[in-house]
Amino acid sequence: IEIYRDSFGVPHIVCDDFNDGARATALCHCEDDFFSIQLWLVYSRTLPAQSTPDSIVSFLPVAEARR
């Protein structure tokens, strides 16, 4: 697997296997926007009818750094 970024920061993935490409895509997504992944992971594990993303943000450890 080869991942390189161009001058705009866009990741380019070169691989031989679909599964490797999926893993590399997930890795690039985590590197670029881990906050959103963390937010939606917490949100998906709660009762969506009783909570909103705004109410969950206060419980995330990264929330203070992002404000």
Side-chain angles (χ1 to χ4, degrees):
I1 300 172
E2 181 183 347
I3 302 172
Y4 64 93
R5 294 182 182 261
D6 61 14
S7 60
F8 296 105
V10 177
H12 296 270
I13 301 168
V14 179
C15 61
D16 297 328
D17 185 271
F18 177 79
N19 291 331
D20 290 341
R23 288 185 189 100
T25 301
L27 175 68
C28 291
H29 188 196
C30 287
E31 288 176 348
D32 291 341
D33 193 16
F34 186 72
F35 178 76
S36 293
I37 295 170
Q38 186 181 23
L39 173 69
W40 287 108
L41 178 67
V42 171
Y43 180 68
S44 68
R45 292 185 178 189
T46 61
L47 296 174
Q50 296 179 359
S51 60
T52 63
D54 293 334
S55 66
I56 292 174
V57 168
S58 62
F59 294 109
L60 294 175
V62 191
E64 293 300 321
R66 296 283 307 232
R67 291 183 185 190

